[in-house]
Amino acid sequence: MRKIGLLAIFLSLALVFGTAGIAEANEVEIFSWWTAGGEEDALLELIDVFEENYPEYEVINSAVAGGAGAQAKAVMITRMVGGNPPDSFQVHGGAELMYTYVEPELMRPLNDLLEEWGYMDNFNEEILEMSTHDGNIYSIPLNVHRSNVLWYNVDMLEEHGLEAPESFDEMFEVFDALQNEGVTPLALGDMNRWPALHLFETYLAATLGPENYNALWEGEVGFDHPGVTEALELLDRTIDYVNTDHASLDWQGAAELLVEEQAVFTVMGDWAEGYFRSVDWEPNEDYGWTTVPGTEGNFMVITDTFGLPVGAPNPEGAEAWLETVASVEGQDAFNPVKGSIPARLDADRDQYNVYLQSSMDDFSEDALTPSIAHGSAAPEALMSSFEDVINEFITDRDIETTQEQLDQAASEYF
Ligand code: GAL
């Protein structure tokens, strides 16, 4: 009996270690936070293209739930710093990539790979720039998201005889009209904190204009600017119109309020479009969109990219994954489902719906402003301080103190 027991233990150990050995060669671990409606569907499309083109590999999908990486980012940093990176991971182009991963030398430059694949000139330059440091490209841009979008339920707006607002005055008039009829005007889901900052940054872009907004992140305009006061005043007014349970919902929960006819508007990045589609909502029939008032001609930009960590367990597998991310085929499989537009210039426009085509047009003409809430404009630590300050503001609504706190936090960096 005893001998059989020992043999069984030996055999299972051999099996476990044997399998792990084989698995390492074939498996490619991909880390992201894409688990919500639309997000996960898009990721699975991309994984399908990868596994079809590289049948020798199998993806281990290590997604950690929580919009905008609310939980995933901390897990990722711990893994990277602890020397336990995945093969490739989702990271925002801009400050998040640079300060968190490139500066501490945790990423491998990818210029040689882009040259080898012949893709060097296929990307939008401004987007590729967000992955570039000292001439080295550290991640492959998969998409371009827009954050300053005001989404609405088309039927509800029509039922109340209202139209999508084009200015803040109009917005508050429409909000008043809805509220008087017992309808929640604006859905917010700030359980994960960033959606409040997301809303605020769109107001900042509106009151400051693209030039001054961008100058904030160069330290050329301070947070004591009157445009910041104005943005806080607008946010203060807006809070009177949001759903009472906003602190217990995430972004998807807020978007769902529109689908369930419990609220009319929500301000969210266009991953919300991916979510609407995942519940079979049709553009212009079920959901409509416009830019957040005051931000027409301004494209608040976010790019999701994938990089190759130093010490990735399966670098060949990671390279194959990155080639898929960089390819037209990969981008055209992922983006029409995700609610984003491709980072490549030569994607097939016909595969994108009416909303995404309008986003492509705006992107090519508009002023670009990077998002704070999604890591492009400022380092992680500043973003996190801003999240604290703005979430506190949602409760205490103290404009003066909040502005001072923003100014204080920013002055440590710029
Ligand atoms: C953003 C990310 C998007 C989407 C969104 C919500 O930060 O860039 O791709 O995933 O978060 O989770």
Side-chain angles (χ1 to χ4, degrees):
M1 279 297 275
R2 203 152 161 217
K3 264 192 192 154
I4 292 174
L6 281 176
L7 187 68
I9 292 170
F10 174 77
L11 281 177
S12 23
L13 283 176
L15 202 67
V16 167
F17 287 112
T19 316
I22 295 167
E24 264 173 33
N26 297 328
E27 290 175 351
V28 184
E29 189 195 354
I30 303 301
F31 187 94
S32 77
W33 58 81
W34 287 328
T35 58
E39 294 183 331
E40 186 181 29
D41 304 330
L43 177 61
L44 296 179
E45 291 287 340
L46 185 61
I47 291 175
D48 274 356
V49 173
F50 172 67
E51 289 182 343
E52 223 162 85
N53 291 346
Y54 295 94
E56 63 273 37
Y57 295 121
E58 186 199 330
V59 165
I60 304 298
N61 179 4
S62 298
V64 172
Q71 283 79 34
K73 281 186 190 178
V75 175
M76 192 60 220
I77 293 167
T78 310
R79 287 190 57 176
M80 291 287 277
V81 172
N84 174 30
D87 292 306
S88 186
F89 68 102
Q90 175 196 0
V91 56
H92 289 128
E96 183 181 310
L97 170 69
M98 298 310 161
Y99 289 97
T100 316
Y101 300 110
V102 173
E103 270 191 4
E105 301 185 348
L106 296 170
M107 306 299 288
R108 224 193 79 184
L110 305 172
N111 304 43
D112 53 339
L113 292 175
L114 281 162
E115 295 285 2
E116 184 189 317
W117 303 326
Y119 293 161
M120 201 49 130
D121 300 323
N122 294 112
F123 288 85
N124 173 286
E125 262 179 44
E126 279 156 301
I127 293 301
L128 198 56
E129 190 52 41
M130 293 169 80
S131 292
T132 308
H133 182 66
D134 282 346
N136 285 324
I137 298 162
Y138 285 96
S139 65
I140 308 286
L142 172 60
N143 69 357
V144 178
H145 267 304
R146 182 177 206 176
S147 74
N148 56 321
V149 190
L150 180 64
W151 304 96
Y152 53 89
N153 176 315
V154 170
D155 285 345
M156 288 179 87
L157 208 53
E158 260 175 37
E159 269 165 36
H160 292 275
L162 297 165
E163 278 179 21
E166 283 174 10
S167 65
F168 279 111
D169 285 346
E170 276 180 28
M171 184 180 90
F172 289 119
E173 272 169 34
V174 170
F175 282 7
D176 275 332
L178 290 167
Q179 205 166 49
N180 289 339
E181 298 192 28
V183 178
T184 301
L186 185 72
L188 174 67
D190 57 358
M191 179 180 99
N192 286 324
R193 303 183 334 138
W194 63 268
L197 180 59
H198 181 122
L199 179 60
F200 176 62
E201 73 180 11
T202 66
Y203 285 10
L204 260 189
T207 56
L208 286 166
E211 235 170 78
N212 280 339
Y213 174 91
N214 285 342
L216 285 175
W217 317 113
E218 305 291 335
E220 286 157 10
V221 165
F223 276 81
D224 53 356
H225 193 282
V228 178
T229 324
E230 218 186 306
L232 286 169
E233 284 164 359
L234 288 166
L235 185 60
D236 180 41
R237 280 181 76 184
T238 304
I239 297 166
D240 290 335
Y241 300 97
V242 304
N243 45 305
T244 48
D245 59 350
H246 62 90
S248 57
L249 296 180
D250 60 9
W251 73 265
Q252 191 186 327
E256 208 176 317
L257 292 186
L258 270 60
V259 176
E260 287 171 356
E261 306 206 323
Q262 289 177 27
V264 179
F265 293 95
T266 194
V267 171
M268 191 38 60
D270 43 16
W271 44 91
E273 210 260 339
Y275 163 71
F276 292 142
R277 278 200 271 174
S278 77
V279 293
D280 293 328
W281 254 24
E282 294 289 331
N284 286 327
E285 278 175 38
D286 301 304
Y287 62 94
W289 62 90
T290 182
T291 43
V292 169
T295 66
E296 208 197 329
N298 179 357
F299 195 107
M300 294 205 81
V301 69
I302 295 156
T303 175
D304 293 304
T305 73
F306 280 85
L308 180 42
V310 171
N314 185 353
E316 288 82 23
E319 286 178 18
W321 167 258
L322 293 175
E323 193 278 327
T324 308
V325 169
S327 68
V328 178
E329 195 190 356
Q331 303 221 341
D332 282 347
F334 176 86
N335 287 304
V337 181
K338 182 67 165 62
S340 45
I341 59 174
R344 279 185 72 124
L345 301 165
D346 51 354
D348 178 7
R349 185 181 165 95
D350 291 345
Q351 296 198 33
Y352 293 78
N353 75 3
V354 52
Y355 166 73
L356 291 171
Q357 291 193 2
S358 77
S359 175
M360 286 178 184
D361 295 341
D362 289 350
F363 179 65
S364 67
E365 290 164 8
D366 287 3
L368 302 186
T369 48
S371 157
I372 328 160
H374 302 279
S376 306
E380 192 73 14
L382 179 57
M383 184 191 89
S384 171
S385 307
F386 273 22
E387 273 183 0
D388 291 344
V389 172
I390 294 299
N391 279 275
E392 205 179 310
F393 177 73
I394 299 281
T395 334
D396 69 23
R397 300 171 70 165
D398 179 342
I399 294 176
E400 211 183 304
T401 309
T402 302
Q403 185 161 7
E404 276 165 22
Q405 287 170 337
L406 293 174
D407 197 28
Q408 171 65 35
S411 64
E412 285 173 29
Y413 290 89
F414 306 111

